[in-house]
Amino acid sequence: MLHILFLAALLFFPSSQAADFCVAKLKGAGSPSGYACRNPAIVTVDDFVFSGLGAAGNTTNIISAAVTPGFVQQFPGVNGLGLSTARLDLAPGGVIPIHTHPAASEILFVVYGKITAGFISSSANKVYVKTLKKGDVMIFPQGLLHFQINAGGTTALAIVSFNSPEPGLQITDFALFGNNLPSNLVEKTTFLDDAQVKKLKGVLGGTG
């Protein structure tokens, strides 16, 4: 009898329907659950289209690589949908240093070139690494340290997707040497000597 009443309640007293989408209202503050929704009446098809991945990024920098994000801040249409994207350009010798995405797993598709990519497990520090070629796909589980290196003599391009509109990013090298964490603490926690720490701080813009 109870299950009949329950079915009747669903049929005759439907709950409010969930929204189809929630294009971000970026002027407001974001939260762990995302941004507030823009009024659906003013949403257009352009809110669901992002052209930012069509142009190569500037790889004239210390890592000879560029990341062009399509996260919620650049692509408000992904807000609340649990996904985002980015473009990776790696010049010869280019590298995306060891980093982590605290809020998302990543899947990488090699458009052209060769990329050596890998990640490190958190349980046994086991390394999973492989040189990828055009058409290959590799996944990087959420929160694990991983990297990408151009393994060829020509430019490499990859498109990545994340299962979060804001995957987050922390690059290990910059976290250690690109801020004002005192050198003596860095030395004690990394087993590097003072000269090495100061050299890396000088390269990556750190102080202290």
Side-chain angles (χ1 to χ4, degrees):
M1 181 64 181
L2 287 176
H3 68 279
I4 295 176
L5 292 175
F6 177 73
L7 290 173
L10 290 177
L11 290 171
F12 296 105
F13 302 99
S15 60
S16 59
Q17 187 175 356
D20 291 330
F21 50 80
C22 176
V23 175
K25 187 189 295 183
L26 295 177
K27 290 184 179 180
S31 72
S33 59
Y35 286 84
C37 304
R38 193 181 305 168
N39 183 346
I42 62 173
V43 170
T44 72
V45 67
D46 290 333
D47 292 305
F48 304 103
V49 177
F50 180 62
S51 301
L53 305 190
N58 182 7
T59 59
T60 307
N61 51 55
I62 191 173
I63 61 174
S64 297
V67 178
T68 305
F71 302 160
V72 65
Q73 292 84 3
Q74 298 82 27
F75 192 4
V78 303
N79 187 52
L81 298 181
L83 51 83
S84 59
T85 187
R87 170 182 175 136
L88 306 184
D89 291 282
L90 294 99
V95 56
I96 306 296
I98 288 182
H99 63 283
T100 180
H101 302 291
S105 295
E106 173 182 347
I107 186 166
L108 176 147
F109 171 73
V110 180
V111 179
Y112 56 75
K114 291 183 179 180
I115 297 175
T116 296
F119 65 88
I120 304 168
S121 73
S122 63
S123 55
N125 288 321
K126 183 174 180 180
V127 178
Y128 298 85
V129 61
K130 187 175 180 68
T131 296
L132 310 172
K133 62 184 186 303
K134 177 181 177 180
D136 285 344
V137 173
M138 186 170 181
I139 58 172
F140 307 91
Q142 180 174 340
L144 296 188
L145 294 168
H146 59 286
F147 61 89
Q148 292 95 20
I149 301 172
N150 187 331
T154 60
T155 299
L157 170 65
I159 300 297
V160 298
S161 296
F162 303 91
N163 64 336
S164 170
E166 292 191 274
L169 171 65
Q170 185 170 43
I171 299 175
T172 307
D173 294 338
F174 288 93
L176 289 171
F177 309 109
N179 54 32
N180 62 351
L181 183 62
S183 294
N184 66 310
L185 295 180
V186 178
E187 292 159 22
K188 288 179 180 180
T189 56
T190 62
F191 306 107
L192 297 173
D193 63 37
D194 185 66
Q196 291 172 313
V197 169
K198 288 182 177 177
K199 176 182 178 182
L200 289 167
K201 278 180 172 283
V203 171
L204 299 176
T207 61

mmCIF file of all heavy atoms in Angstrom, residues 1-14:
data_model
loop_
_atom_site.group_PDB
_atom_site.id
_atom_site.type_symbol
_atom_site.label_atom_id
_atom_site.label_comp_id
_atom_site.label_asym_id
_atom_site.label_seq_id
_atom_site.Cartn_x
_atom_site.Cartn_y
_atom_site.Cartn_z
ATOM 1 N N MET A 1 0.827 -1.204 0.000
ATOM 2 C CA MET A 1 0.000 0.000 0.000
ATOM 3 C C MET A 1 0.871 1.267 0.000
ATOM 4 O O MET A 1 0.608 2.226 -0.716
ATOM 5 C CB MET A 1 -0.920 -0.017 1.217
ATOM 6 C CG MET A 1 -1.868 1.186 1.307
ATOM 7 S SD MET A 1 -3.033 1.201 -0.077
ATOM 8 C CE MET A 1 -3.957 2.669 0.282
ATOM 9 N N LEU A 2 1.946 1.227 0.807
ATOM 10 C CA LEU A 2 2.809 2.397 0.902
ATOM 11 C C LEU A 2 3.473 2.719 -0.432
ATOM 12 O O LEU A 2 3.600 3.893 -0.808
ATOM 13 C CB LEU A 2 3.882 2.171 1.977
ATOM 14 C CG LEU A 2 3.386 2.230 3.428
ATOM 15 C CD1 LEU A 2 4.515 1.897 4.389
ATOM 16 C CD2 LEU A 2 2.820 3.613 3.749
ATOM 17 N N HIS A 3 3.884 1.643 -1.146
ATOM 18 C CA HIS A 3 4.549 1.913 -2.421
ATOM 19 C C HIS A 3 3.583 2.481 -3.446
ATOM 20 O O HIS A 3 3.970 3.248 -4.324
ATOM 21 C CB HIS A 3 5.224 0.643 -2.958
ATOM 22 C CG HIS A 3 4.297 -0.433 -3.375
ATOM 23 N ND1 HIS A 3 3.730 -1.298 -2.479
ATOM 24 C CD2 HIS A 3 3.839 -0.786 -4.606
ATOM 25 C CE1 HIS A 3 2.956 -2.148 -3.140
ATOM 26 N NE2 HIS A 3 2.999 -1.863 -4.431
ATOM 27 N N ILE A 4 2.304 2.133 -3.359
ATOM 28 C CA ILE A 4 1.299 2.701 -4.267
ATOM 29 C C ILE A 4 1.126 4.188 -3.978
ATOM 30 O O ILE A 4 1.055 5.025 -4.897
ATOM 31 C CB ILE A 4 -0.039 1.955 -4.118
ATOM 32 C CG1 ILE A 4 0.125 0.499 -4.583
ATOM 33 C CG2 ILE A 4 -1.133 2.668 -4.921
ATOM 34 C CD1 ILE A 4 -1.117 -0.339 -4.390
ATOM 35 N N LEU A 5 1.086 4.546 -2.682
ATOM 36 C CA LEU A 5 0.957 5.948 -2.313
ATOM 37 C C LEU A 5 2.172 6.755 -2.761
ATOM 38 O O LEU A 5 2.052 7.904 -3.199
ATOM 39 C CB LEU A 5 0.779 6.077 -0.795
ATOM 40 C CG LEU A 5 -0.543 5.537 -0.234
ATOM 41 C CD1 LEU A 5 -0.531 5.609 1.283
ATOM 42 C CD2 LEU A 5 -1.722 6.332 -0.794
ATOM 43 N N PHE A 6 3.343 6.125 -2.666
ATOM 44 C CA PHE A 6 4.570 6.799 -3.088
ATOM 45 C C PHE A 6 4.552 7.084 -4.583
ATOM 46 O O PHE A 6 4.876 8.178 -5.035
ATOM 47 C CB PHE A 6 5.781 5.933 -2.724
ATOM 48 C CG PHE A 6 7.094 6.513 -3.181
ATOM 49 C CD1 PHE A 6 7.646 7.620 -2.532
ATOM 50 C CD2 PHE A 6 7.787 5.954 -4.252
ATOM 51 C CE1 PHE A 6 8.853 8.147 -2.946
ATOM 52 C CE2 PHE A 6 8.986 6.485 -4.668
ATOM 53 C CZ PHE A 6 9.527 7.589 -4.015
ATOM 54 N N LEU A 7 4.137 6.092 -5.388
ATOM 55 C CA LEU A 7 4.044 6.281 -6.827
ATOM 56 C C LEU A 7 3.018 7.341 -7.193
ATOM 57 O O LEU A 7 3.224 8.152 -8.098
ATOM 58 C CB LEU A 7 3.700 4.959 -7.512
ATOM 59 C CG LEU A 7 4.806 3.894 -7.507
ATOM 60 C CD1 LEU A 7 4.262 2.585 -8.067
ATOM 61 C CD2 LEU A 7 5.998 4.365 -8.333
ATOM 62 N N ALA A 8 1.933 7.353 -6.463
ATOM 63 C CA ALA A 8 0.900 8.352 -6.724
ATOM 64 C C ALA A 8 1.414 9.755 -6.433
ATOM 65 O O ALA A 8 1.131 10.714 -7.170
ATOM 66 C CB ALA A 8 -0.335 8.060 -5.874
ATOM 67 N N ALA A 9 2.210 9.873 -5.363
ATOM 68 C CA ALA A 9 2.772 11.179 -5.027
ATOM 69 C C ALA A 9 3.695 11.672 -6.125
ATOM 70 O O ALA A 9 3.719 12.857 -6.467
ATOM 71 C CB ALA A 9 3.510 11.091 -3.697
ATOM 72 N N LEU A 10 4.486 10.740 -6.709
ATOM 73 C CA LEU A 10 5.384 11.129 -7.790
ATOM 74 C C LEU A 10 4.620 11.583 -9.019
ATOM 75 O O LEU A 10 5.025 12.513 -9.733
ATOM 76 C CB LEU A 10 6.305 9.961 -8.153
ATOM 77 C CG LEU A 10 7.371 9.574 -7.129
ATOM 78 C CD1 LEU A 10 8.149 8.355 -7.633
ATOM 79 C CD2 LEU A 10 8.329 10.730 -6.877
ATOM 80 N N LEU A 11 3.487 10.903 -9.290
ATOM 81 C CA LEU A 11 2.711 11.210 -10.487
ATOM 82 C C LEU A 11 1.933 12.510 -10.360
ATOM 83 O O LEU A 11 1.869 13.305 -11.303
ATOM 84 C CB LEU A 11 1.748 10.058 -10.790
ATOM 85 C CG LEU A 11 2.391 8.758 -11.281
ATOM 86 C CD1 LEU A 11 1.344 7.651 -11.332
ATOM 87 C CD2 LEU A 11 3.020 8.956 -12.667
ATOM 88 N N PHE A 12 1.336 12.722 -9.213
ATOM 89 C CA PHE A 12 0.398 13.841 -9.082
ATOM 90 C C PHE A 12 0.980 15.045 -8.354
ATOM 91 O O PHE A 12 0.425 16.129 -8.405
ATOM 92 C CB PHE A 12 -0.869 13.374 -8.356
ATOM 93 C CG PHE A 12 -1.623 12.327 -9.126
ATOM 94 C CD1 PHE A 12 -1.594 10.999 -8.737
ATOM 95 C CD2 PHE A 12 -2.328 12.669 -10.276
ATOM 96 C CE1 PHE A 12 -2.269 10.027 -9.456
ATOM 97 C CE2 PHE A 12 -3.008 11.696 -10.996
ATOM 98 C CZ PHE A 12 -2.974 10.372 -10.592
ATOM 99 N N PHE A 13 2.089 14.852 -7.666
ATOM 100 C CA PHE A 13 2.704 15.973 -6.957
ATOM 101 C C PHE A 13 4.191 16.013 -7.298
ATOM 102 O O PHE A 13 5.050 15.763 -6.463
ATOM 103 C CB PHE A 13 2.519 15.829 -5.434
ATOM 104 C CG PHE A 13 1.080 15.742 -5.025
ATOM 105 C CD1 PHE A 13 0.501 14.499 -4.757
ATOM 106 C CD2 PHE A 13 0.295 16.879 -4.934
ATOM 107 C CE1 PHE A 13 -0.819 14.409 -4.383
ATOM 108 C CE2 PHE A 13 -1.031 16.785 -4.563
ATOM 109 C CZ PHE A 13 -1.595 15.549 -4.294
ATOM 110 N N PRO A 14 4.539 16.269 -8.568
ATOM 111 C CA PRO A 14 5.943 16.257 -8.980
ATOM 112 C C PRO A 14 6.748 17.350 -8.272
ATOM 113 O O PRO A 14 6.246 18.443 -8.031
ATOM 114 C CB PRO A 14 5.875 16.517 -10.486
ATOM 115 C CG PRO A 14 4.584 17.239 -10.679
ATOM 116 C CD PRO A 14 3.636 16.690 -9.660
#
